[in-house]
Amino acid sequence: MLVKTFCAAVMGLEATTITIEVNLTRGVQFHLSGLADTAVKESYDRIRAAMGNIGFKPPTADITINLSPADIRKEGSGYDLPLAIGILAAHGKVSDSSLAEYMMIGELGLDGSLKPISGALPVAILARKEKFKGLIVPKENAREAAVVNQLQIFGMESLADVVSFFNGAEGYEPTIVDTRKEFYEQQYSFDLDFADVKGQESVKRALEVAAAGSHNLIMVGPPGSGKSMMAKRLPSILPPLSLAESLETTQIHSVAGKLPTGTSLISQRPFRSPHHTVSQVAMTGGGNRALPGEVSMAHHGVLFLDELPEFNKSTLEVLRQPLEDRKITISRAKYTVEYPCSFMFVASMNPCPCGYYGDPTHHCVCTPGQIQRYMNKISGPLLDRIDLHCEVAVVPFKQLSQMQPGEPSAVIRERVIKARQIQEERFKDNKGIYCNAQMSERLIHQYAEPDAASLDMLRMAMERLSLSARAYSRILKVARTIADLEGSEKVLGHHIAEAIGYRSLDRGDWAERGG
């Protein structure tokens, strides 16, 4: 008897329908075709044990299974459930009357329980697109998949539940999630707030400018000056995610298997902070299954690299292309996967190997040569892609001991949101551009052109600091953001002056001054 069930293969953020054809004839052998990996080939051992433990004797027959289309590689354990149901239906233990209406995905435990899988959200999006009536997933994945409307999502605990469902048993209700309600309720709840930060007004200003225009930023200062503390509070002043941004971010985390159990939609901008020992593949994505890396996991959020010079230089250099293109392409011999990675890049570092160069409270023991070598660990092309360079000083005891809290994140966030709204209105006719950091050269010329006096100031800065053409564009983008925060239609001289002030690492006298 021939039976068909339906599953999906996830490649990148896209899913493809897989038809599982199961045929039982006289014999005792098991055949599996269709470019399956080891995890799929091992599924029959799990299926036999699961069947036996829920009261079904595995069929004594020649079982032939084909995974179609046969030229797409099938990976992972998510095929266990549709394979098991297909075998039971071909054996006459499960009614096949409604199998064509449902897509299934899930890993089987030996006791017949269903275990969560990665990529449930892209599969649910595909199931709705392909006009399936419903999708059957492990219970832990039900809320994640139920984000997709106009599709019935059934979260099941075991293979026995799925068998009963197809045999017409009642009592199984689809999972319903009020996506909008949950999404908007969780958008304004943050554990960390800028009210906890004492002093550091100039740094908070730089972070506000960075957030308002989605600019990249690096903070340089001695240990204990608050660099990491302030970076971790950056998501609390970023504009809230839109539903479309949230869905895209959730898809990436779903494919990576990093979505917390029971989560429906990611409602806050991600903050990723990998350790400096992170590998190139972990940073950009890849591996055997071409999973998303840290740059994609930070999509629509913040990628924070603490102690930047400690990262492997080759790992840092691979960031150059994603920072410009806001997408990363992972190429392998037989396939190519593209992941989005539009993120704010934020980094922190010490000013020298000992950490106390320029600190009035500690004596720096580093020579100018050591300081220069330390700073040279960050390449010029990478620094060019960072819009704001911010020096962080140690907070004096007088400010540190103040009981009065600083300006709260909610107040700063309101200013940032207003600036972003100005940018959204400005770029409404430019597809794919939502903030000043994404402006092309044509848009810079159109919206951030300085007046004659400002242009002279910029020319002097370019000559004195030996800035590149890319740094020139970055200064104009930052100046445009500063003007938006003020509500100014034109870019004025003091906007340019402040933007030039955020290029401190371009100064050639770094290792000689303040020693």
Side-chain angles (χ1 to χ4, degrees), residues 25 37 140 150-151 188 223 230 232 245 304 329 335 351 392 457 461 463 497 510 513:
T25 57
D37 76 345
E140 289 90 339
Q150 300 173 6
L151 180 73
Y188 296 92
M230 287 183 282
K232 289 173 182 176
E245 288 175 333
F304 175 54
T329 303
Y335 60 86
V392 185
M457 184 195 308
E463 292 173 354
W510 179 272
R513 63 188 176 85

Side-chain angles (χ1 to χ4, degrees), residues 227-412:
K227 303 185 296 293
S228 301
M229 177 190 186
M230 287 183 282
K232 289 173 182 176
R233 283 156 175 76
L234 188 55
S236 68
I237 65 171
L238 289 172
L241 283 168
S242 67
L243 266 172
E245 288 175 333
S246 176
L247 185 63
E248 192 173 28
T249 304
T250 305
Q251 272 187 271
I252 294 170
H253 286 247
S254 173
V255 168
K258 302 294 185 182
L259 206 61
T261 302
T263 300
S264 53
L265 273 178
I266 291 176
S267 56
Q268 295 181 358
R269 294 188 181 272
F271 181 87
R272 304 293 300 180
S273 181
H275 191 259
H276 65 257
T277 55
V278 66
S279 68
Q280 246 180 272
V281 171
M283 182 68 82
T284 59
N288 292 333
R289 295 180 58 194
L291 294 175
E294 291 291 340
V295 295
S296 296
M297 298 284 282
H299 185 52
H300 292 313
V302 177
L303 177 67
F304 175 54
L305 302 188
D306 200 5
E307 303 299 341
L308 192 65
E310 301 303 324
F311 283 78
N312 187 292
K313 189 158 188 175
S314 62
T315 302
L316 292 180
E317 293 309 302
V318 297
L319 292 174
R320 285 155 56 174
Q321 180 261 335
L323 282 170
E324 286 292 314
D325 298 344
R326 297 181 181 269
K327 62 184 178 182
I328 183 109
T329 303
I330 301 166
S331 298
R332 295 294 180 266
K334 294 185 178 180
Y335 60 86
T336 298
V337 175
E338 186 176 281
Y339 289 112
C341 57
S342 180
F343 58 89
M344 267 185 71
F345 177 59
V346 179
S348 73
M349 61 183 289
N350 294 330
C352 66
C354 79
Y356 295 109
Y357 174 67
D359 182 0
T361 62
H362 292 81
H363 177 65
C364 174
V365 297
C366 304
T367 65
Q370 288 175 320
I371 297 171
Q372 199 63 58
R373 282 193 297 274
Y374 184 77
M375 298 301 295
N376 286 343
K377 289 183 179 181
I378 316 303
S379 70
L382 183 61
L383 269 182
D384 258 359
R385 288 166 169 82
I386 300 176
D387 306 347
L388 291 91
H389 308 161
C390 184
E391 293 184 55
V392 185
V394 174
V395 181
F397 175 79
K398 185 178 179 181
Q399 288 184 332
L400 202 59
S401 59
Q402 286 179 352
M403 298 302 292
Q404 186 178 356
E407 188 176 29
S409 292
V411 176
I412 303 173

Side-chain angles (χ1 to χ4, degrees), residues 455-468:
L455 201 58
D456 285 340
M457 184 195 308
L458 192 50
R459 177 182 55 78
M460 289 172 59
M462 291 281 294
E463 292 173 354
R464 186 174 298 173
L465 302 178
S466 301
L467 299 180
S468 68

Side-chain angles (χ1 to χ4, degrees), residues 1 23-29 60-63:
M1 181 179 179
N23 189 57
L24 264 61
T25 57
R26 292 181 62 184
V28 292
Q29 293 191 9
T60 304
D62 198 275
I63 303 172

